Amino acid sequence: MDGISININPSALSAFPKSALAQDDMMEIDEPITKPSFNPIGNSAKAVNQREKRKIRVPPHRLAPLKKYWLKIYTPIVEHLKLDIRMRSQTSSLTEATSALQKGADFIKAFTLGFDLDDSIALLRLDELYIDSFEIKDVKTLQGDHLSRAIGRLAGKDGKTKFAIENTTKTRLVIADTKIHILGSFQNIRIAKDAVCSLILGSPPGKVYANLRNISARLKERF
């Protein structure tokens, strides 16, 4: 039977007149139970009443490229992610995916860090791409000519070392003074970062190339 059952001890009711007590020790009170009603949970950002916003600071030296490629940047943000962007990104009434705001922020950040526009757009289309940033001093404290030589080893003659790391690990590298930014999948970023750290620590490029070739061969065999 639906309802709530309450057990009452007669000794606890000695203060009440006997006429007020029932002969049975059990009192039953029927009370209708109403089931709670909840609104359906959806993955759509439309369920969020308050609009979200995300700010990305643009370095001064990236303002000119940002203005130059603004139309190409604006189009995927609005059409693919359905966000509003006015030098600031925020969800709009058309936004569908809750992750769109973060993807849009990552896209703009990648471009401001120095990655090509096409490489930055890949962050919008692929979920497994990330950006890892670190500085040379995080690997080894270098100053003066030692720092300059380390940067030269990373780039190589005419950028050959940098391109070799990118092509072997399927990543993209940006060397901005003493900062290194790597764009790619988690596993590929780790391989590229190991190669970059080896060069910073003084390993000759030839040895790094050999290690990259061995790693690339093992990855092809695995997949």
Side-chain angles (χ1 to χ4, degrees):
M1 179 177 63
D2 295 337
I4 302 175
S5 298
I6 303 176
N7 293 327
I8 299 179
N9 189 348
S11 61
L13 301 177
S14 58
F16 292 89
K18 293 183 178 181
S19 58
L21 297 177
Q23 293 181 355
D24 298 330
D25 294 342
M26 177 73 71
M27 292 182 61
E28 294 185 354
I29 301 176
D30 291 334
E31 181 176 325
I33 298 177
T34 57
K35 295 182 180 180
S37 177
F38 300 100
N39 294 327
I41 299 177
N43 293 327
S44 174
K46 296 178 181 179
V48 182
N49 294 328
Q50 185 177 2
R51 290 187 177 183
E52 298 181 55
K53 297 181 180 180
R54 193 68 51 87
K55 295 182 179 180
I56 299 97
R57 303 189 67 176
V58 181
H61 70 281
R62 296 298 294 173
L63 284 174
L66 183 68
K67 294 178 181 179
K68 180 179 179 180
Y69 296 104
W70 177 251
L71 184 59
K72 293 183 178 180
I73 294 172
Y74 175 90
T75 302
I77 288 286
V78 175
E79 293 183 358
H80 184 70
L81 298 179
K82 294 181 174 56
L83 295 172
D84 286 336
I85 179 169
R86 298 179 184 87
M87 287 298 180
R88 65 181 67 178
S89 293
Q90 67 181 34
T91 57
S92 69
S93 58
L94 300 177
T95 305
E96 296 176 353
T98 55
S99 61
L101 190 62
Q102 183 61 49
K103 283 187 176 183
D106 292 340
F107 166 52
I108 299 296
K109 181 181 178 182
F111 182 78
T112 58
L113 290 177
F115 291 101
D116 292 339
L117 182 60
D118 293 337
D119 296 332
S120 302
I121 290 177
L123 287 168
L124 302 180
R125 309 185 187 280
L126 302 175
D127 294 331
E128 64 272 12
L129 294 184
Y130 308 93
I131 297 176
D132 189 7
S133 303
F134 61 97
E135 296 189 38
I136 293 178
K137 67 179 181 180
D138 297 334
V139 181
K140 186 177 181 180
T141 302
L142 299 173
Q143 295 179 351
D145 294 338
H146 297 289
L147 179 60
S148 300
R149 283 193 290 269
I151 297 174
R153 286 195 299 272
L154 293 176
K157 185 178 180 181
D158 298 328
K160 290 182 178 180
T161 303
K162 173 178 172 290
F163 294 146
I165 295 175
E166 290 180 336
N167 294 333
T168 306
T169 61
K170 297 180 181 178
T171 58
R172 290 294 180 265
L173 270 69
V174 169
I175 303 173
D177 196 11
T178 62
K179 296 182 178 180
I180 295 97
H181 311 288
I182 307 176
L183 169 65
S185 64
F186 180 79
Q187 182 181 13
N188 293 341
I189 286 176
R190 181 173 59 84
I191 298 172
K193 191 173 183 179
D194 289 341
V196 170
C197 292
S198 297
L199 291 170
I200 293 174
L201 294 173
S203 296
K207 184 177 180 180
V208 175
Y209 292 160
N211 291 335
L212 287 174
R213 284 194 294 268
N214 294 334
I215 293 173
S216 178
R218 288 199 298 268
L219 289 177
K220 289 180 180 179
E221 292 176 357
R222 185 181 302 176
F223 300 102

